[in-house]
Amino acid sequence: MPDISLTTIVFLCLAAAAAGWIDAVVGGGGLLLLPALLLGLPQVPAAHVLGTNKAVAIVGTSGAAITYVRKAPVDVKTAVRIGLAALAGSMGGAFFAAGISSDVLRPVIMVVLLGVAAFVMLRPSFGAAAGADKRRVTRTRTVVAIVLVGGGIGFYDGLFGPGTGTFLVLALTAVLHLDLVTASATAKIVNVCTNGGALAMFAYQGTVLWQLAALMAVFNLAGGLFGARMALRKGSEFVRGVLLVVVFSLVAKLGFDQWTA
């Protein structure tokens, strides 16, 4: 591991805690964690930053997923199926990533996100139900969730990445008629599957700073557990508010990246 100052370590640990909280509530913790690692470790190769990011994130995501499963009405079997489809999709996206320009994708994703934000603001009832209506969740909808939500968003994650957790929450809410809390819980299980696959590849390539990742993971786990419990306690309206903040933050980040590209 490279020499890292105490100030940088403290900064990265605090960023990991904050990212864990955001990710547990509504997804999108990578918007904070990955830039923090890039800022704190400018001398470290990008592959090692990405690998370390996944090693940290999977711990907080797993802790949040366990907390949700114990206290929220999550269909674990369906969530795992979606997660496996997302894992396969992310591998496919990563395969094509080299041939796609981020400069082309950013404006498209920004327009989609602004449309999502408008929809959530204009439809206050979106994701406010007290759980999935089993009568409306047909076998067809479940298959759509596995193929399009899992495979499609997984492909996007491998191809580009930013906002994957947020897209998962929104898509699961729309397709399976979940409330936002249950959708966040399901998204965490899917994220564990995709993060696990990515981490395995990074570990195989030897691009993980394990000592730093272990320390940051403790803070990420604490943030994830706290965020999951807060979301469960405060309910869908709280998650909806955080969701809008994350969506607009993502649009701002993508806009900045596009402007400076």
Side-chain angles (χ1 to χ4, degrees), residues 3-87:
D3 291 332
I4 305 173
S5 69
L6 179 60
T7 301
T8 298
I9 291 176
V10 171
F11 163 72
L12 291 175
C13 287
L14 292 176
W21 186 91
I22 294 170
D23 204 52
V25 175
V26 75
L31 295 174
L32 177 59
L33 185 56
L34 186 56
L37 282 165
L38 290 169
L39 179 64
L41 306 174
Q43 76 282 14
V44 174
H48 287 73
V49 170
L50 293 171
T52 304
N53 173 64
K54 287 299 181 184
V56 174
I58 194 171
V59 175
T61 301
S62 298
I66 292 170
T67 300
Y68 275 124
V69 167
R70 292 173 61 185
K71 298 184 179 181
V74 183
D75 186 341
V76 177
K77 185 177 180 180
T78 298
V80 171
R81 288 176 176 175
I82 296 172
L84 293 175
L87 175 60

Side-chain angles (χ1 to χ4, degrees), residues 89-101 105 155 158-160:
S90 66
M91 293 174 66
F95 179 79
F96 288 102
I100 300 294
S101 171
L105 283 176
F155 183 86
L159 186 68
F160 192 51

Side-chain angles (χ1 to χ4, degrees), residues 32-221:
L32 177 59
L33 185 56
L34 186 56
L37 282 165
L38 290 169
L39 179 64
L41 306 174
Q43 76 282 14
V44 174
H48 287 73
V49 170
L50 293 171
T52 304
N53 173 64
K54 287 299 181 184
V56 174
I58 194 171
V59 175
T61 301
S62 298
I66 292 170
T67 300
Y68 275 124
V69 167
R70 292 173 61 185
K71 298 184 179 181
V74 183
D75 186 341
V76 177
K77 185 177 180 180
T78 298
V80 171
R81 288 176 176 175
I82 296 172
L84 293 175
L87 175 60
S90 66
M91 293 174 66
F95 179 79
F96 288 102
I100 300 294
S101 171
S102 296
D103 294 337
V104 174
L105 283 176
R106 287 194 198 103
V108 175
I109 301 303
M110 288 168 63
V111 171
V112 172
L113 283 170
L114 288 172
V116 164
F119 177 80
V120 173
M121 288 189 294
L122 294 174
R123 291 285 300 273
S125 62
F126 179 74
D133 184 344
K134 298 297 183 182
R135 293 168 298 178
R136 299 169 67 194
V137 182
T138 62
R139 182 183 296 273
T140 299
R141 284 187 174 273
T142 301
V143 172
V144 169
I146 293 171
V147 176
L148 295 184
V149 178
I153 295 179
F155 183 86
Y156 166 79
D157 190 20
L159 186 68
F160 192 51
T164 297
T166 304
F167 280 131
L168 278 172
V169 171
L170 290 166
L172 290 168
T173 301
V175 175
L176 295 182
H177 301 298
L178 303 178
D179 63 88
L180 286 171
V181 173
T182 306
S184 292
T186 305
K188 293 288 90 53
I189 297 174
V190 175
N191 281 160
V192 171
C193 295
T194 55
N195 285 343
L199 178 58
M201 181 58 68
F202 284 122
Y204 174 76
Q205 295 173 340
T207 56
V208 180
L209 303 177
W210 291 108
Q211 290 176 302
L212 178 62
L215 180 60
M216 292 176 63
V218 174
F219 287 84
N220 191 252
L221 176 61

